[in-house]
Amino acid sequence: MGYEGAIFDMDGLLFDTERIYQQTWQEIDGETGVKLDGSFVKAISGTNGHHMRRVIERYYHVSDGTAIMDECMGRIRKKLSVQVPLKKGVHEILNFFQKKGIRIAVASSSAASQIESNLETAGIRGYFSAVVSGTEVRRGKPEPDIFLCVAERMSCRADACFVFEDSENGIKAGYAAGCTTIMVPDLMEASPAILPYCRKICRDLLQAEKEVSRMLQDEG
């Protein structure tokens, strides 16, 4: 087939930021008196816009989740303006794809300004030929729109792209787009239900690099 692109989620995959998100949700939880149950993490991870608002409304028991969503995003922007912690293996896997001549992109549910800020702060913006935010497509993850969009911007076929995701919503989106999906779980382990959607499940990006190297060798 010949792989042309490698598409990365951002929060919880490139950056150790999902914990910051969940801590911030918990802050708001405490201030509102709402008790979030354990399923909230899976439900909210990898979402944005309409989908995120619906999750907030369900768990925070409000009719409109916009104010809570905006408050959380504002607090997170302040926290990430100071430091953006990289996940293990980020430089190694980005260097690997760069040396292979495979185009690299980010497809994140976060706002475009936040994606650009995080990449610049972490010093890795130069690796990426395309960046697409969930706010730029009609339907967010778990729908395939964002991955189809970023593949088009890279001038790649979606079925010739790897997708790296930490969330089940993201994995389902990559699978629906026809990409080769590799999951690197972050806050939650992969559930048995997601296994049919994953080509590989890896403990970190260092293992993911090794798995991709084997796949490219087998292809060759």
Side-chain angles (χ1 to χ4, degrees), residues 10-155:
M10 184 177 71
D11 295 302
L13 193 282
L14 290 175
F15 303 125
D16 194 11
T17 47
E18 276 296 339
R19 286 172 178 78
I20 298 174
Y21 274 84
Q22 296 305 324
Q23 289 165 2
T24 306
W25 290 120
Q26 292 296 333
E27 289 171 10
I28 297 172
D29 170 10
E31 293 166 10
T32 59
V34 173
K35 183 65 176 175
L36 298 173
D37 67 43
S39 63
F40 176 77
V41 175
K42 180 184 288 188
I44 202 75
S45 294
T47 66
N48 72 298
H50 175 81
H51 192 167
M52 178 180 281
R53 284 195 299 272
R54 298 293 85 82
V55 173
I56 291 169
E57 289 159 7
R58 185 165 78 249
Y59 283 87
Y60 282 85
H61 311 293
V62 294
S63 59
D64 186 350
T66 302
I68 294 175
M69 180 174 69
D70 290 346
E71 176 64 22
C72 183
M73 296 304 107
R75 294 186 189 193
I76 287 167
R77 282 194 296 272
K78 290 181 181 178
K79 294 175 183 180
L80 294 181
S81 67
V82 179
Q83 182 184 17
V84 183
L86 283 169
K87 296 281 280 188
K88 182 178 180 180
V90 169
H91 282 291
E92 288 84 353
I93 198 166
L94 295 179
N95 283 325
F96 171 82
F97 282 121
Q98 189 176 66
K99 291 176 181 177
K100 292 287 185 182
I102 292 174
R103 282 158 277 184
I104 311 171
V106 169
S108 169
S109 296
S110 294
S113 59
Q114 189 65 62
I115 299 170
E116 292 289 354
S117 176
N118 288 358
L119 296 176
E120 291 288 353
T121 301
I124 60 172
R125 179 61 180 89
Y127 284 104
F128 300 98
S129 61
V131 172
V132 176
S133 164
T135 62
E136 299 178 64
V137 294
R138 186 172 66 86
R139 301 178 301 172
K141 303 172 187 178
E143 301 300 331
D145 302 31
I146 193 168
F147 292 118
L148 296 173
C149 178
V150 77
E152 182 178 358
R153 287 195 188 175
M154 289 194 296
S155 299

